[in-house]
């Protein structure tokens, strides 16, 4: 069976950036199961896996526009340190949920000064070119329930 709209695809993967640094991998965590065509994974990877089948090895080099988007400098902002009252030690890399007009956004601390803290609302992988090494382990039809929920159930998917 080939990967197509609404199929359940189980993959092993390794994700590296252009410097060869491993960003993420299914090694240790176990294979990932996703529902094809539902936006469970980034667009560029769905495009690369379409039409493939179990046993195929797929290498995909994905530009930011089809991954986590380009970095937007205006999503960085300086906020007064007072806003973080209750947190003794603000450190680089800490993440907070921030309420915006567009809803909650995850922001990352990128600079800390005496009075001000700079936070960045970009996804940590925004602007990063992603290189996937994927092995497809299984392709199967999704169940009615999986289609209704928009995700895979069981091993490698949602456990509920
Ligand atoms: Zn579900």
């Amino acid at each position: 069976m080939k990967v197509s709209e609404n199929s359940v695809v189980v993959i092993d993967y390794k994700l590296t950036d252009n410097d060869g640094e491993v960003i993420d991998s299914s090694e240790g965590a176990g294979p990932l199961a996703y529902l094809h065509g539902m936006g469970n994974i980034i667009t560029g990877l769905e495009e690369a896996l379409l039409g493939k089948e179990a046993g195929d090895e797929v290498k995909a080099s994905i530009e930011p526009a089809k991954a986590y988007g380009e970095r937007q400098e205006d999503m960085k902002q300086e906020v007064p340190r007072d806003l973080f009252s209750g947190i003794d030690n603000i450190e680089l890399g800490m993440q907070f949920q921030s309420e915006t007009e567009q809803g909650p956004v995850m922001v990352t601390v990128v600079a800390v000064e005496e009075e001000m803290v700079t936070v960045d609302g970009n996804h940590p992988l925004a602007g990063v070119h992603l290189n996937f090494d994927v092995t497809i382990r299984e392709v199967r039809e999704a169940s009615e329930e999986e289609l209704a929920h928009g995700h895979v159930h069981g091993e490698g998917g949602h456990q509920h």
Side-chain angles (χ1 to χ4, degrees):
M1 179 177 170
K2 289 188 194 311
V3 174
S4 63
E5 208 76 357
N6 296 338
S7 46
V8 169
V9 187
V10 183
I11 58 172
D12 281 320
Y13 68 95
K14 188 168 81 171
L15 169 60
T16 52
D17 64 18
N18 278 354
D19 299 324
E21 291 284 329
V22 177
I23 297 169
D24 192 14
S25 163
S26 60
E27 208 181 297
L32 170 77
Y34 79 93
L35 188 49
H36 195 90
M38 291 282 186
N40 291 174
I41 62 171
I42 58 170
T43 317
L45 189 55
E46 282 203 334
E47 286 178 1
L49 297 177
L50 183 68
K52 302 288 195 268
E53 50 196 2
D56 284 354
E57 290 179 21
V58 180
K59 282 188 193 295
S61 174
I62 299 166
E63 63 204 73
K66 290 193 169 176
Y68 294 97
E70 300 292 348
R71 291 191 63 80
Q72 291 173 272
E73 283 310 312
D74 61 359
M75 289 181 76
K76 257 190 194 177
Q77 58 171 320
E78 279 201 317
V79 294
R81 202 177 176 133
D82 301 348
L83 283 184
F84 298 87
S85 59
I87 301 162
D88 293 337
N89 250 329
I90 302 170
E91 289 171 6
L92 293 184
M94 278 182 154
Q95 293 194 308
F96 296 93
Q97 185 123 305
S98 162
E99 293 299 328
T100 70
E101 284 170 14
Q102 284 79 42
V105 170
M106 217 38 173
V107 300
T108 307
V109 174
V110 292
V112 182
E113 283 158 67
E114 215 160 303
E115 301 283 328
M116 303 296 280
V117 173
T118 308
V119 295
D120 187 349
N122 283 291
H123 188 282
L125 292 178
V128 179
H129 197 110
L130 303 179
N131 302 296
F132 279 92
D133 272 307
V134 176
T135 304
I136 301 180
R137 293 169 67 119
E138 186 189 346
V139 183
R140 65 168 169 87
E141 308 259 7
S143 68
E144 297 274 327
E145 194 187 44
E146 285 172 325
L147 289 174
H149 287 206
H151 56 231
V152 176
H153 290 160
E155 202 182 338
H158 281 243
Q159 315 284 346
H160 68 144

